[in-house]
Amino acid sequence: MLTKDELPECPVATTVRLIGNKWKLLILRGLIYNKSMRFTEILKSVPAISKKVLTDNLRALENDGIIEREVFPETPPRVTYSLSELGETLKPIFDAMYDWGSDYKKFADALR
């Protein structure tokens, strides 16, 4: 997690810093609507992301307390990712983004 000194003063800037790149948004979208996903499921659900970039973003989200990683003691090991309690609080933001995107698409279609 980032320290208080590392966080921007503006709450919007804080949110953007934590979830504001396109990869994190798409990873979180998958976890919000699927509850729990394995690495390969996330990889397939996020177009054009490399394994390294996915790994880096999953680690960052985990370090910031937004997602949880669960390792099952099997052979081969099975790992799943899901939203943490804090991550679950992002759902209204994604719902609003979905609604806004849907409205925008209707608006754009009406202009054509």
Side-chain angles (χ1 to χ4, degrees), residues 57-68:
N57 280 278
L58 287 170
R59 283 185 183 147
L61 289 165
E62 185 181 8
N63 288 338
D64 291 332
I66 297 170
I67 67 169
E68 295 174 341

Side-chain angles (χ1 to χ4, degrees), residues 52-107:
K52 181 189 181 327
V53 171
L54 177 56
T55 299
D56 291 346
N57 280 278
L58 287 170
R59 283 185 183 147
L61 289 165
E62 185 181 8
N63 288 338
D64 291 332
I66 297 170
I67 67 169
E68 295 174 341
R69 179 178 183 265
E70 185 175 3
V71 180
F72 295 87
E74 301 171 353
T75 305
R78 179 170 51 108
V79 178
T80 61
Y81 296 89
S82 58
L83 294 175
S84 66
E85 189 174 328
L86 175 63
E88 290 284 346
T89 65
L90 292 169
K91 189 166 182 343
I93 294 170
F94 278 79
D95 289 342
M97 289 171 59
Y98 180 90
D99 292 344
W100 189 90
S102 296
D103 290 346
Y104 180 83
K105 288 171 86 171
K106 289 176 194 170
F107 174 76

